[in-house]
Amino acid sequence: QGTRDHPPAQAALRERLLGAVVSCFKRHGAAAIDTPVLELRETLMGKYGEDTKLIYELQDQGGELLALRYDLTVPFARYLAMNKVNNMKRYHVAKVYRRDNPATTRGRYREFYQCDFDIAGQFDPMIPDAECLKIVHEILSDLQLGDFVIKVNDRRILNGVFAICGVPESKFIMACSTVDKLDKVPWEEVRSEMVGEKGLSPEAADRIGEYVQLHGGLDLIERLLQDPKLSQNKLAKEGLGDMKLLFEYLTLFGITGKISFDLSLARGLDYYTGVIFEAVLLQQENEHMEELVGVGSVAGGGRYDGLVGMFDPKGRKVPCVGVSIGIERIFSILEQRLKASGEKLRTTETQVLVATPQKHLLAARLKLISELWDAGIKAEMLYKKDPKLLKQLQYCEDTGIPLAAIVGEQELADGVVKLRDVSTREEVRMSFYTRCQKC
Amino acid sequence: QGTRDHPPAQAALRERLLGAVVSCFKRHGAAAIDTPVLELRETLMGKYGEDTKLIYELQDQGGELLALRYDLTVPFARYLAMNKVNNMKRYHVAKVYRRDNPATTRGRYREFYQCDFDIAGQFDPMIPDAECLKIVHEILSDLQLGDFVIKVNDRRILNGVFAICGVPESKFIMACSTVDKLDKVPWEEVRSEMVGEKGLSPEAADRIGEYVQLHGGLDLIERLLQDPKLSQNKLAKEGLGDMKLLFEYLTLFGITGKISFDLSLARGLDYYTGVIFEAVLLQQENEHMEELVGVGSVAGGGRYDGLVGMFDPKGRKVPCVGVSIGIERIFSILEQRLKASGEKLRTTETQVLVATPQKHLLAARLKLISELWDAGIKAEMLYKKDPKLLKQLQYCEDTGIPLAAIVGEQELADGVVKLRDVSTREEVRMSFYTRCQKC
C-alpha cells in the first residue's frame, strides 16, 4: 500500500523526466554519489521533528538497528562527516521511504523518488544559493510545465520578525510551522491558531501578520532594510543583506521575473539556517478567472549550515545549500497531460523488426538480427518459427517500431534485405550483407 | 555493515558500466519496469530455499508485514501475475538486499545492484533462450573483461541423469545443489558428500559421476541422445532435444565458441525448470600455467516456467527465461583494473570553467556562465568573489575540465572571451556574446 509498480509506459516517462533533471545537474558540474537505502536508526533520529514517526524501521534480526532513509539530505550530511569531505557539489537521484498516509492522487506515496542537488563548502555568500535557484528555474522551464513562481525567504529574517514581535526564542520553530500554513489557509485562521493553540498574545500575532503577508522583490527588501524595528535585529539585518545580494545575482542570471521574496514561506524542516525557497506551479483555476493560483510545490530547498556538524565527532561544520526537485508531483502532471493528449509514449527504442514473409526462414532471421545487434542496431523479431507477415507488421504498429527488415526467399537468393517504412509502406532493397562485411 | 556509500569516482564507473548493460538490453527491445523495494513478506517466503533466512524483514509498525526484495525475478513474476500480463520483454536495474555475511573483497555486499533481462510468454522453443545467451555474450565482449565461457545445461537433463542413476525424485533438488559444488571442489569430495551426508548409494553416486563430469558441444549432445539409458528418459530426451536446437540457434548467432554444454552446472535456485546457464571469466592463474581457470561467475540465468503460476490465484502459468548480470563482481574487476592503470576517471562532465584574471569581475562571470548554461553547455565557476587565476586553472587540472573561458577587463572592453585549452595552454579570443545572440 502506498508503493507501486511502474509499468513500461510509466517507466519510460519517468526515464525521460529524470533524464532532463540529471542533465541539468550535470550541466552545473555536479558529481553523482550513491548512499545505501539502509541507514543506522540513530542517524535518522532527531532530524525530522514530528515526522520522525514516519521512518520505516527494520526488524531487529541481530546486528545493527537499521531504518530506511527518509530523504537524501541527512544521508548526504552523514556522508560528508564520515568521509571528512569539506567541498562537494553532488547530485543524487534515488528512492526514499515514509510511513505516511499515501495520497496517491496527489502524487504522494510511501516509496518515491527524490532528485537532490547540493553544494557543500565554505564559500562567498549567496553564490551557491543563487545557483540552486537558477537550477530550479532551468528545470521547470525545460519541462514546459507552464507558469511558475519561486518563493524565497530566509530563516534569519523570519526569526528576526518573531523576535521583534515579542515571540520568545523557544517558540520560533512552532511559529515557523504555523506561518508555513499561510499558503493553504487565510491569515485569520493562522492567527487564531497562534493565539489559541500556540499561546501567543493577540498583539504579537497581529504584529507578525503585518510582516508575513508581505511579498515582493528588491523594493520590499530595501523597504525592510529601512524598517526601524527590523533593521535593529542582527539576524534579520544579516538575512536581508544576503537577500539583497541574492537578488543582485539572480538579476545577472536574468530570472528575477519568476522570483518572489515572500515572508510567509517558512518550510517545515528544522535543519534550515538561512535562505529557503519553494517553487510553485501557477494555473488558472477556471477559464473565468484571470488570476493564477498555486497548484502545489514542485521543488524546494535551502541552506542548512548545521547538519553536517551533528554527525561529526568534533562538531566540525560544513555549510550546505541544496535543492530537491519534487519529481513525483511533476510526474503526475506530465502523466495526466500525456493521457489527455492521447499521445502514446513508446516503451522501447527498437529501430527495426526483422521479419520474414514465408515459412522456414527462421535461420535467415536469426542470422540477420545477430548482425544487426553486433552493429549496435536496436532490433527485435517475433519468437515464432513461422510468424505471419501481417502479425509482424502489426507488432511494429503496436509498439512503434518504425522499420521492418524483411528477408524472404527472393531476397535471400539476391543477397538483399527489403527495408520497409512501417508508416508509409515504402520499401527499398538493400544489399545488407555486403555493406556489413565492409564495415 | 555490508552496505556502502559510492563516492563520485565509484559512482562514475558504475554509471558507465550500467550504461553499457542497459544499452544492450535496449538493443534487444526490452522495456523498463520498476517495482518497489518493499514487498509483502508472504510474496518472498518459500521462493529461495534455504536462503529465505537471508531476507531483511521490516518491523511490524502496524499495517502490512513487509520485507526488502531479495532479487528482481520474484518481484517480476509477482508483477506479471498481478497485472495478468502474458507477454513481456523487460529489463530492470536496481538494488536488492540480503542479510548475508558480506565478503566485500569478492564484491559480495548486503545491498547490491542486479541487472536483469527477462522474456515472458509462450513462444517457440529456445528462441528467447538463445537471445538471453547472446545478450550475455554481447555484454561480456563489450566490457572487454577478457576470455570467458558460458556454461549451459538443462534441469530436465540433470533430473533425467538422477532418475536413471537411481536417485529418488524427492532427492533431486538436494542432488542438484550437491552437483553444483563441482565448480569449486573435485568430484571425490562431491561424491563423498552424496554418499555420506546425503545418503545416496555409492553405485548411484558413481553413475552420476560418469555423467556430470562431461562437458562439450554439439558432439556431446549427439552422443547423449544415443546414450541407451538417458535417451529412454522422457525429461532428459526433451532437454537434450532442446539443447540441440539451442546450439543450432547459437551457431547462427556465431557464438558457440564461448559456449560449453556442461553437465555439472546445476545452479542453486529452486525455481528453474529448463535451460540454465552461467558465464565464468577465465584467467591464467600465473604466467607459468597455460590453462585458463575460472575466476567466478559474472552472469547467470535460466528458464523458470512455474514461478508466475505461484502468484496467480488460478495458477495460470507464464513461461519465462531470463538472465542476471553480476554487475558487482564486474565492477570490482573494472575498479581494480582502473587502479592498476593509474588512470583517473572524471567524476563530472564539465566542459568549461568560467574564470577571471582580475578582481571585481564576479558580475561578468555570473552573466557569462548563465548564458553558457542556457545554451546547454556544462559550465562551472569557483564560488569566490575574487579567486586567483592560478587557483581557477588548478581546479580545471584537478577535475579534468578541458577549457577555461576567461573574461578580464580587456576582454570585457573588447566584448570577447578568451578561451584557453587547459592542457596545451593555447588561447583564442572569441566574440562570444555576438555569436550567442545569433543562435
Side-chain angles (χ1 to χ4, degrees):
Chain A
Q1 213 200 333
T3 66
R4 71 223 127 129
D5 296 317
H6 295 293
Q10 280 185 17
L13 179 61
R14 189 171 292 272
E15 190 182 327
R16 193 189 276 191
L17 179 54
L18 293 179
V21 172
V22 167
S23 105
C24 175
F25 291 166
K26 285 186 175 176
R27 192 157 63 232
H28 286 262
I33 71 164
D34 191 11
T35 64
V37 168
L38 303 172
E39 289 281 348
L40 289 178
R41 228 178 264 183
E42 61 187 59
T43 302
L44 306 188
M45 291 301 143
K47 308 299 184 306
Y48 304 106
E50 278 183 19
D51 289 346
T52 301
K53 63 178 188 294
L54 303 182
I55 294 172
Y56 272 107
E57 300 183 0
L58 265 76
Q59 197 156 43
D60 184 0
Q61 294 169 291
E64 298 131 332
L65 291 178
L66 301 171
L68 301 186
R69 65 178 164 217
Y70 179 87
D71 67 5
L72 302 176
T73 310
V74 167
F76 176 54
R78 194 257 317 141
Y79 172 89
L80 293 175
M82 252 175 82
N83 297 285
K84 302 195 176 14
V85 176
N86 290 314
N87 271 301
M88 175 173 244
K89 185 156 53 174
R90 83 90 176 77
Y91 74 89
H92 193 182
V93 172
K95 286 175 177 177
V96 302
Y97 298 85
R98 296 184 186 178
R99 289 183 61 251
D100 210 343
N101 286 324
T104 51
T105 45
R106 285 180 291 139
R108 205 166 78 193
Y109 291 89
R110 290 181 167 178
E111 173 184 65
F112 58 95
Y113 276 98
Q114 280 199 338
C115 299
D116 282 22
F117 172 99
D118 293 81
I119 301 171
Q122 185 69 57
F123 301 116
D124 281 329
M126 293 300 113
I127 311 182
D129 312 60
E131 181 165 2
C132 288
L133 291 167
K134 175 80 171 90
I135 283 177
V136 174
H137 191 277
E138 282 178 30
I139 290 176
L140 297 183
S141 306
D142 278 1
L143 293 173
Q144 299 178 295
L145 293 168
D147 205 7
F148 61 88
V149 65
I150 308 175
K151 298 179 187 174
V152 185
N153 197 4
D154 193 300
R155 273 285 169 93
R156 292 168 296 173
I157 301 177
L158 268 182
N159 286 343
V161 166
F162 297 143
I164 62 163
C165 295
V167 179
E169 211 176 316
S170 61
K171 291 193 171 174
F172 279 6
I173 290 184
M174 172 280 292
C176 244
S177 62
T178 314
V179 165
D180 204 37
K181 296 177 184 164
L182 263 181
D183 61 338
K184 296 195 186 71
V185 299
W187 165 248
E188 286 67 34
E189 266 180 61
V190 171
R191 182 187 180 284
S192 75
E193 183 180 327
M194 281 184 172
V195 177
E197 292 164 48
K198 310 291 179 175
L200 293 192
S201 72
E203 296 74 30
D206 288 335
R207 267 172 292 181
I208 293 172
E210 278 170 37
Y211 285 104
V212 298
Q213 292 180 83
L214 299 172
H215 54 93
L218 205 47
D219 50 329
L220 177 59
I221 302 169
E222 297 286 6
R223 218 173 77 210
L224 292 177
L225 275 169
Q226 306 304 323
D227 183 289
K229 272 179 289 175
L230 204 55
S231 61
Q232 294 310 304
N233 181 282
K234 192 174 161 286
L235 273 179
K237 210 180 153 193
E238 268 180 39
L240 286 166
D242 277 348
M243 189 61 68
K244 192 177 163 189
L245 198 57
L246 180 66
F247 266 76
E248 249 176 56
Y249 297 162
L250 298 179
T251 306
L252 289 163
F253 287 162
I255 60 172
T256 39
K258 303 272 188 211
I259 309 278
S260 166
F261 171 42
D262 187 326
L263 277 100
S264 73
L265 179 72
R267 289 188 66 76
L269 291 170
D270 293 2
Y271 52 63
Y272 290 118
T273 54
V275 166
I276 46 178
F277 54 88
E278 198 167 289
V280 177
L281 294 188
L282 301 175
Q283 245 173 34
Q284 275 182 269
E285 211 155 55
N286 61 58
E287 60 249 56
H288 306 296
M289 288 176 69
E290 297 250 317
E291 208 187 341
L292 293 170
V293 295
V295 290
S297 154
V298 288
R303 177 161 285 282
Y304 49 102
D305 288 349
L307 194 57
V308 177
M310 293 173 72
F311 296 107
D312 191 276
K314 291 180 187 158
R316 185 189 53 106
K317 285 195 174 181
V318 179
C320 295
V321 62
V323 51
S324 187
I325 306 296
I327 210 73
E328 299 292 347
R329 188 161 277 177
I330 296 176
F331 178 77
S332 316
I333 295 168
L334 291 180
E335 202 185 17
Q336 280 167 25
R337 199 181 285 177
L338 200 70
K339 247 181 215 161
S341 78
E343 194 200 330
K344 217 177 128 191
L345 207 62
R346 282 196 70 186
T347 59
T348 63
E349 299 177 6
T350 310
Q351 299 163 300
V352 57
L353 185 84
V354 174
T356 36
Q358 294 107 6
K359 288 193 173 183
H360 311 301
L361 288 169
L362 175 60
R365 272 193 296 150
L366 288 172
K367 227 169 132 50
L368 177 57
I369 199 167
S370 169
E371 291 180 36
L372 291 173
W373 286 330
D374 292 343
I377 292 167
K378 293 168 193 151
E380 284 187 76
M381 55 176 269
L382 298 196
Y383 300 123
K384 292 268 159 201
K385 267 193 335 212
D386 298 311
K388 297 215 170 92
L389 185 60
L390 207 67
K391 279 229 165 166
Q392 297 173 80
L393 295 175
Q394 189 61 49
Y395 183 80
C396 291
E397 290 188 5
D398 291 348
T399 62
I401 302 176
L403 296 170
I406 301 171
V407 52
E409 284 155 11
Q410 191 57 51
E411 286 79 17
L412 264 186
D414 300 349
V416 299
V417 169
K418 205 157 67 183
L419 205 62
R420 180 187 170 109
D421 183 312
V422 174
S423 61
T424 65
R425 299 180 186 187
E426 270 176 71
E427 293 183 342
V428 286
R429 284 160 62 95
M430 287 180 56
S431 69
F432 179 79
Y433 294 105
T434 2
R435 284 195 42 192
C436 232
Q437 274 150 16
K438 270 188 197 159
C439 67
Chain B
Q1 213 197 335
T3 65
R4 72 222 123 132
D5 295 318
H6 296 292
Q10 280 186 19
L13 179 61
R14 189 169 292 270
E15 190 181 327
R16 194 190 276 192
L17 178 55
L18 293 179
V21 172
V22 167
S23 104
C24 176
F25 292 164
K26 285 186 175 176
R27 192 158 64 233
H28 286 262
I33 72 165
D34 189 12
T35 65
V37 168
L38 304 172
E39 289 280 348
L40 290 178
R41 229 179 262 184
E42 60 186 61
T43 301
L44 306 187
M45 290 302 143
K47 308 299 186 303
Y48 303 107
E50 279 181 17
D51 289 346
T52 300
K53 64 178 187 297
L54 302 182
I55 294 173
Y56 272 107
E57 299 181 1
L58 265 77
Q59 195 156 46
D60 184 0
Q61 294 170 291
E64 298 132 332
L65 292 179
L66 301 172
L68 301 186
R69 64 180 164 214
Y70 179 87
D71 68 5
L72 302 176
T73 310
V74 167
F76 176 54
R78 194 259 314 142
Y79 172 87
L80 293 175
M82 249 175 84
N83 297 285
K84 300 193 176 18
V85 176
N86 290 313
N87 275 299
M88 176 173 242
K89 185 156 52 173
R90 84 90 175 77
Y91 73 89
H92 193 181
V93 173
K95 286 176 176 176
V96 301
Y97 298 86
R98 297 185 186 178
R99 287 185 60 252
D100 210 343
N101 286 323
T104 51
T105 47
R106 286 181 289 139
R108 205 165 79 194
Y109 290 88
R110 290 182 167 179
E111 172 182 68
F112 58 94
Y113 275 99
Q114 280 200 336
C115 299
D116 282 21
F117 172 99
D118 293 80
I119 301 171
Q122 185 70 57
F123 300 117
D124 282 329
M126 294 301 114
I127 311 180
D129 311 61
E131 182 167 359
C132 287
L133 291 168
K134 176 80 170 92
I135 282 175
V136 174
H137 191 277
E138 282 177 30
I139 290 175
L140 297 184
S141 306
D142 278 1
L143 293 175
Q144 299 178 296
L145 293 169
D147 206 6
F148 61 88
V149 64
I150 309 175
K151 299 179 187 174
V152 185
N153 198 4
D154 192 300
R155 274 285 170 90
R156 291 166 299 172
I157 301 177
L158 268 182
N159 286 344
V161 166
F162 297 144
I164 63 163
C165 294
V167 179
E169 211 176 314
S170 62
K171 291 192 171 174
F172 279 6
I173 289 183
M174 173 278 293
C176 243
S177 64
T178 316
V179 164
D180 203 37
K181 296 175 183 166
L182 264 180
D183 62 338
K184 296 196 185 71
V185 299
W187 165 247
E188 285 68 35
E189 266 180 60
V190 171
R191 184 187 178 280
S192 74
E193 184 179 328
M194 280 183 172
V195 177
E197 291 164 49
K198 310 289 180 178
L200 294 192
S201 72
E203 297 75 27
D206 287 337
R207 267 173 292 181
I208 293 173
E210 279 170 35
Y211 285 105
V212 296
Q213 293 180 81
L214 299 171
H215 54 93
L218 205 47
D219 52 329
L220 177 59
I221 301 169
E222 296 287 5
R223 219 172 79 211
L224 291 177
L225 275 169
Q226 306 303 322
D227 181 290
K229 273 181 289 176
L230 203 56
S231 62
Q232 294 309 306
N233 180 281
K234 193 173 160 286
L235 273 180
K237 211 181 150 191
E238 268 179 37
L240 286 165
D242 276 349
M243 189 59 70
K244 193 177 162 187
L245 199 57
L246 180 66
F247 266 76
E248 252 176 55
Y249 297 162
L250 298 179
T251 306
L252 290 163
F253 286 162
I255 61 171
T256 42
K258 302 272 188 210
I259 309 279
S260 167
F261 171 42
D262 187 325
L263 277 97
S264 73
L265 179 72
R267 288 185 68 74
L269 291 170
D270 294 1
Y271 53 63
Y272 290 118
T273 55
V275 167
I276 46 179
F277 54 88
E278 198 166 290
V280 178
L281 293 190
L282 301 175
Q283 248 174 30
Q284 277 182 268
E285 211 155 55
N286 61 57
E287 58 250 55
H288 307 296
M289 288 175 70
E290 298 253 317
E291 209 186 341
L292 293 172
V293 294
V295 290
S297 155
V298 287
R303 178 162 282 284
Y304 49 101
D305 288 349
L307 193 58
V308 178
M310 291 173 72
F311 295 107
D312 191 276
K314 291 179 186 159
R316 185 188 56 105
K317 284 193 175 182
V318 179
C320 294
V321 62
V323 51
S324 188
I325 306 296
I327 209 73
E328 299 293 346
R329 189 162 276 178
I330 297 175
F331 177 76
S332 313
I333 295 168
L334 292 179
E335 202 185 17
Q336 280 166 26
R337 200 181 283 175
L338 200 69
K339 248 181 216 164
S341 78
E343 193 201 331
K344 217 177 130 191
L345 208 63
R346 283 195 69 185
T347 59
T348 62
E349 300 177 7
T350 310
Q351 299 163 301
V352 56
L353 185 84
V354 174
T356 36
Q358 294 106 6
K359 290 193 171 183
H360 311 303
L361 288 168
L362 175 60
R365 274 192 295 148
L366 288 171
K367 223 170 134 52
L368 177 55
I369 199 167
S370 168
E371 289 180 38
L372 291 173
W373 286 330
D374 292 343
I377 291 167
K378 293 167 192 150
E380 284 186 75
M381 56 176 267
L382 298 197
Y383 299 124
K384 292 267 161 204
K385 265 190 343 206
D386 296 311
K388 296 216 170 91
L389 185 60
L390 207 67
K391 280 230 164 165
Q392 297 173 80
L393 295 174
Q394 190 59 49
Y395 183 80
C396 291
E397 290 187 5
D398 292 347
T399 62
I401 301 176
L403 295 170
I406 301 170
V407 52
E409 283 155 12
Q410 190 58 53
E411 286 78 19
L412 263 186
D414 299 349
V416 298
V417 169
K418 205 158 66 182
L419 206 61
R420 180 187 171 109
D421 183 313
V422 175
S423 60
T424 66
R425 301 182 186 185
E426 270 175 72
E427 295 183 340
V428 287
R429 284 161 62 95
M430 287 179 57
S431 70
F432 179 81
Y433 294 105
T434 1
R435 284 196 43 194
C436 229
Q437 273 151 17
K438 270 189 194 157
C439 67

